[in-house]
């Protein structure tokens, strides 16, 4: 299994930006995909975005499309989530996770999960 460590969270005002990072170690990532999920208080975890390690196709939840961008640095085994135009409803604990493919990650069928990082957007 991979070990995943998120960083970059914090408190930001509505309309601001944050960039989350997820550093992966413990296995090779030539195949498969990495994704971001989030869970707000009292709500179920939801999919945010996913990217394939090898050639970078991406897929986003409708709620973040046009505002969030997922990217990867294969040399660093790191995936990023650039979050712009943040809204109060983006407040949640954000998790990165890895799986065998884009569909699997999108459906939450992931092999490894990070510990999560808090993002708070003040209105």
């Amino acid at each position: 299994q991979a070990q995943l460590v998120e960083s970059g969270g914090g408190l930001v005002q509505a309309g601001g930006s944050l960039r989350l990072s997820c550093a992966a170690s413990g296995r090779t990532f030539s195949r498969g995909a990495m994704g971001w999920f989030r869970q707000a208080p009292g709500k179920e975890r939801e999919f945010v975005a996913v990217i394939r390690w090898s050639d970078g196709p991406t897929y986003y939840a409708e709620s973040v499309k046009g505002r969030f961008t997922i990217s990867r640095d294969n040399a660093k085994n790191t995936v990023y989530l650039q979050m712009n135009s943040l809204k109060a409803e983006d407040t949640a604990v954000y998790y990165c996770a890895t799986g065998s493919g884009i569909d699997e990650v999108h459906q939450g069928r992931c092999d490894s999960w990070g510990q999560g990082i808090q993002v708070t957007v003040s209105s």
Side-chain angles (χ1 to χ4, degrees):
Q1 276 193 338
Q3 289 77 48
L4 307 176
V5 179
E6 301 100 337
S7 61
L11 174 65
V12 65
Q13 287 188 335
S17 298
L18 280 175
R19 188 177 81 156
L20 303 182
S21 300
C22 177
S25 61
R27 55 161 282 187
T28 59
F29 293 90
S30 59
R31 298 180 179 183
M34 181 79 84
W36 288 94
F37 295 77
R38 66 188 182 185
Q39 187 167 21
K43 296 187 177 181
E44 293 187 353
R45 184 181 63 202
E46 64 175 355
F47 165 80
V48 174
V50 61
I51 187 168
R52 193 157 64 197
W53 279 109
S54 59
D55 51 2
T58 58
Y59 183 72
Y60 297 90
E62 284 298 322
S63 60
V64 306
K65 197 174 291 185
R67 299 189 297 123
F68 290 12
T69 302
I70 189 170
S71 61
R72 80 212 191 283
D73 184 333
N74 290 36
K76 296 182 179 179
N77 273 354
T78 299
V79 171
Y80 305 97
L81 185 68
Q82 178 67 44
M83 305 184 294
N84 298 329
S85 302
L86 283 161
K87 306 175 182 179
E89 50 264 42
D90 294 318
T91 295
V93 176
Y94 284 70
Y95 300 87
C96 63
T98 186
S100 59
I102 284 183
D103 288 343
E104 288 76 6
V105 172
H106 178 217
Q107 295 165 18
R109 293 187 282 121
C110 300
D111 304 316
S112 300
W113 294 84
Q115 81 285 357
I117 192 163
Q118 179 69 45
V119 171
T120 302
V121 184
S122 62
S123 56

